[in-house]
């Protein structure tokens, strides 16, 4: 079962996200802590989660890029309202997706599926590139 971690201080939204994802076959762990504490939670089970869904804290995107880099899983940020500047900042700092309330059930599931698939493809491409390094150092071989 694919495991998803939800980090959101809003208990109502956390419960709704959990319900939608479990109904769609995901295993879900959730926490009411802030995004600042997310790294510690995600590091408890490195590699155990295939996706992290985290709320955007008011006033910014603390730890988004770090969270994604440290856990090497896609991070989907959810916000209580749509904000174009915040969405752009989220994607630039490493978020796989940025969703704003109200989030349709099928939109949430599609975002999780898409994020996991893109991350899996990226890992596979990196693995192939590392498995077959370029042999030789002529200029033509380096192109």
């Amino acid at each position: 079962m694919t495991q998803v971690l939800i980090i959101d201080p809003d208990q109502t939204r956390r419960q709704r996200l959990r319900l939608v994802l479990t109904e769609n076959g995901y295993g879900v762990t959730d926490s009411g802590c802030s995004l600042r504490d997310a790294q510690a939670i995600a590091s408890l089970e490195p590699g155990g989660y295939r996706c992290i869904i985290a709320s955007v804290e008011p006033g910014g995107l603390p730890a988004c890029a770090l969270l994604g880099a440290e856990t090497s899983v896609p991070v989907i940020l959810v916000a209580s309202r749509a904000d174009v500047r915040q969405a752009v900042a989220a994607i630039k700092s490493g978020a796989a997706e940025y969703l704003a309330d109200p989030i349709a059930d099928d939109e949430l599931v599609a975002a999780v599926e898409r994020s996991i698939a893109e991350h899996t493809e990226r890992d596979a491409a990196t693995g192939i590139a590392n498995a077959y390094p370029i042999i030789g150092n002529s200029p033509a071989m380096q192109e």
Side-chain angles (χ1 to χ4, degrees), residues 30-56:
D30 65 82
S31 172
C33 77
S34 70
L35 190 53
R36 289 184 185 97
D37 300 324
Q39 276 184 283
I41 290 172
S43 68
L44 295 176
E45 253 186 271
Y49 301 107
R50 298 290 313 276
C51 183
I52 296 173
I53 300 172
S55 68
V56 177

Side-chain angles (χ1 to χ4, degrees), residues 32-94:
C33 77
S34 70
L35 190 53
R36 289 184 185 97
D37 300 324
Q39 276 184 283
I41 290 172
S43 68
L44 295 176
E45 253 186 271
Y49 301 107
R50 298 290 313 276
C51 183
I52 296 173
I53 300 172
S55 68
V56 177
E57 293 183 357
L61 301 166
C64 173
L66 257 178
L67 180 61
E70 290 296 316
T71 61
S72 69
V73 297
V75 177
I76 297 173
L77 293 180
V78 294
S80 56
R81 64 178 181 83
D83 182 324
V84 174
R85 287 184 181 166
Q86 192 175 59
V88 170
I91 300 302
K92 283 184 175 181
S93 55

Side-chain angles (χ1 to χ4, degrees), residues 1 29-30 54:
M1 180 178 290
T29 302
D30 65 82

